[in-house]
Amino acid sequence: MIDTAVETIRASFNELVNTRHFLHSHPELSDNEENTARFVSEKLSQMGVMHKTGVGGHGVLAELVGKRQGKTIGLRADMDALPILEQNTFDYCSQNKGVMHACGHDGHTTVLLGAAKALQSLNGDFAGTVRMIFQPAEETVGGAARMCAEGAMEGVDAVLALHGWPGIELGAIGIRRGAMMASADTFDITVKGKGSHAAYPHQSFDPIMVGAQIVTALQSIISREINPADPAVVSVTKFHAGTAYNVIPGHAEIAGTIRTLSPDLRKEIPNRIRSIAEGICAAHRAECEFRYHMGTGPVYNDPNFTDLVEDVARETFGDKAVYEVPYASMGAEDFAAYLEYAPGMMFRLGLGDVSPIHTPTFNFDDRALPIGVIPMSIYWWQGADYFKRPTSEERHAQLP
Ligand code: NI
């Protein structure tokens, strides 16, 4: 049965390529994935896969139910593209000028459609349920949480996703146990000073001078207060103040992002930013307004589920197909929203030597498509066993 499904995947290579090229030439921005969703829905209908559209925006939820009782696995792909003018010259380039699949979500969507087909070819000869989640608005963050709010994770016991990754060899997948991607939260600070003529600074509480001290002092949080072995980032990315050469403005706006891999640091850092900003403002007779916005959490790969994906990859493609990712990325991924409902993991699909993601010459390598489909449709061969494995806590408890 495993061999049959693998053969189905290998035999449908041309179809995967055609699907991917169609999606690549018709990219749509976050929350505008109307035609992409319609295309996905048509493909699912052709396969005879039950699904509903319009979930959390343009999301599509599909489901395949096995004949035997079992757990429910979620498989997730994102569908949106980026506001980038494509510079590739092949014949399936973007036909939507200024919009481009520069993050490979065309590949992710194709892989999940391929998994749907492979699973459907089993005619229900598997245990449990596979929920396929075609998500809108990953790039702008929010699509995942909206789909979850509309029931995407209801009854799901574990969830799996992939991201195409330049720099990892074609034919290989990158895995990591534990933290894989960082949380991404944002902050805004308004320094309310007092404006004056630039020639009479003693009449002002200069918000630019105060703001500059805040920006500098914030850099001491990571370097002096956080354990260097626990990665975190505080980046100030906006500083707006003033309109003229000869006017000290009344206020300054500062904003930035915080990245962490651990929930504790995620809670702690905003408090430190607030104290530093308020303290410096108070010292210089300015007022401070601090706003903090919780974005996505960290992506934490469940070690047991990662074992399973690793086993699948080794058995199907050989030992060389598995690359241990040495450290987490401080980039964020809204896949984290699903992990608030169930354990799971995200792996990296090797794309080899292609341009970096989010650049105008990026392109997903078609040869990686079947390599992604196989672990994405793992459920049909040993998904059920995963749940019989001891949890990491249980394993730990067994240690002498
Ligand atoms: Ni992406």
Side-chain angles (χ1 to χ4, degrees):
M1 188 50 79
I2 298 162
D3 294 343
T4 318
V6 172
E7 271 322 300
T8 307
I9 292 164
R10 292 201 165 121
S12 54
F13 181 67
N14 286 340
E15 192 186 337
L16 291 173
V17 171
N18 290 338
T19 298
R20 216 275 297 173
H21 290 192
F22 180 85
L23 291 169
H24 191 88
S25 58
H26 299 87
E28 293 173 297
L29 289 176
S30 311
D31 280 325
N32 286 279
E33 309 90 342
E34 203 177 331
N35 294 321
T36 308
R38 188 181 308 126
F39 176 80
V40 166
S41 170
E42 279 166 12
K43 283 275 176 193
L44 292 168
S45 296
Q46 283 164 19
M47 296 175 208
V49 176
M50 247 186 344
H51 63 280
K52 64 177 175 185
T53 56
V55 183
H58 295 301
V60 180
L61 268 189
E63 200 162 277
L64 281 167
V65 182
K67 285 178 187 151
R68 295 190 298 282
Q69 285 244 313
K71 302 281 187 175
T72 299
I73 290 274
L75 303 174
R76 175 274 209 167
D78 37 15
M79 303 191 288
D80 54 333
L82 286 159
I84 291 179
L85 182 63
E86 180 157 16
Q87 284 173 17
N88 291 314
T89 50
F90 41 69
D91 59 358
Y92 58 91
C93 272
S94 171
Q95 292 175 20
N96 187 1
K97 204 170 177 227
V99 182
M100 178 188 171
H101 270 299
C103 197
H105 299 187
D106 50 344
H108 306 169
T109 302
T110 303
V111 164
L112 190 48
L113 284 169
K117 183 164 177 164
L119 291 158
Q120 177 71 327
S121 76
L122 298 174
N123 286 316
D125 189 8
F126 58 89
T129 300
V130 182
R131 173 91 42 83
M132 285 153 284
I133 304 165
F134 295 89
Q135 182 205 309
E138 191 281 326
E139 295 293 353
T140 50
V141 176
R146 289 201 310 256
M147 286 205 79
C148 290
E150 294 191 26
M153 287 295 286
E154 229 160 77
V156 171
D157 297 289
V159 61
L160 180 67
L162 63 80
H163 205 298
W165 213 266
I168 294 181
E169 220 176 301
L170 190 69
I173 66 162
I175 56 158
R176 187 167 206 277
R177 287 164 184 78
M180 183 69 159
M181 305 285 289
S183 62
D185 302 325
T186 54
F187 63 89
D188 289 271
I189 297 165
T190 303
V191 179
K192 292 179 173 168
K194 189 176 142 201
S196 77
H197 193 298
Y200 314 122
H202 58 289
Q203 294 172 356
S204 78
F205 305 150
D206 182 355
I208 294 180
M209 182 272 293
V210 176
Q213 287 188 28
I214 292 172
V215 172
T216 310
L218 291 184
Q219 293 313 315
S220 67
I221 299 175
I222 304 299
S223 65
R224 301 291 88 182
E225 298 184 35
I226 307 292
N227 182 342
D230 196 354
V233 176
V234 173
S235 283
V236 173
T237 54
K238 293 195 230 178
F239 191 146
H240 297 303
T243 52
Y245 287 107
N246 55 359
V247 179
I248 292 173
H251 66 275
E253 303 285 348
I254 297 165
T257 185
I258 302 160
R259 309 294 172 110
T260 65
L261 297 180
S262 77
D264 288 348
L265 273 188
R266 192 181 181 204
K267 263 187 242 148
E268 189 185 323
I269 291 178
N271 295 331
R272 292 300 301 136
I273 293 178
R274 176 197 283 268
S275 306
I276 288 170
E278 286 177 350
I280 291 173
C281 283
H284 297 285
R285 296 172 291 178
E287 273 176 50
C288 181
E289 209 178 275
F290 178 78
R291 294 174 304 282
Y292 181 68
H293 175 72
M294 293 276 272
T296 42
V299 170
Y300 180 87
N301 281 345
D302 179 80
N304 284 337
F305 202 77
T306 307
D307 287 350
L308 171 63
V309 173
E310 179 173 0
D311 289 350
V312 172
R314 283 192 197 281
E315 285 178 40
T316 320
F317 308 115
D319 286 340
K320 275 201 274 183
V322 176
Y323 168 70
E324 291 267 359
V325 177
Y327 41 79
S329 158
M330 299 311 282
E333 163 61 70
D334 81 348
F335 178 63
Y338 302 97
L339 299 176
E340 286 173 24
Y341 294 79
M345 74 92 68
M346 172 173 241
F347 67 91
R348 292 179 181 168
L349 180 62
L351 298 180
D353 188 19
V354 298
S355 296
I357 52 174
H358 293 221
T359 66
T361 50
F362 170 82
N363 191 30
F364 199 96
D365 193 312
D366 290 320
R367 292 169 295 176
L369 294 168
I371 314 290
V373 174
I374 289 172
M376 279 300 264
S377 35
I378 50 176
Y379 197 67
W380 37 259
W381 60 295
Q382 54 167 311
D385 290 344
Y386 156 69
F387 297 99
K388 292 187 201 121
R389 294 175 178 214
T391 63
S392 34
E393 287 78 26
E394 280 163 355
R395 275 187 193 169
H396 203 75
Q398 284 163 8
L399 290 175

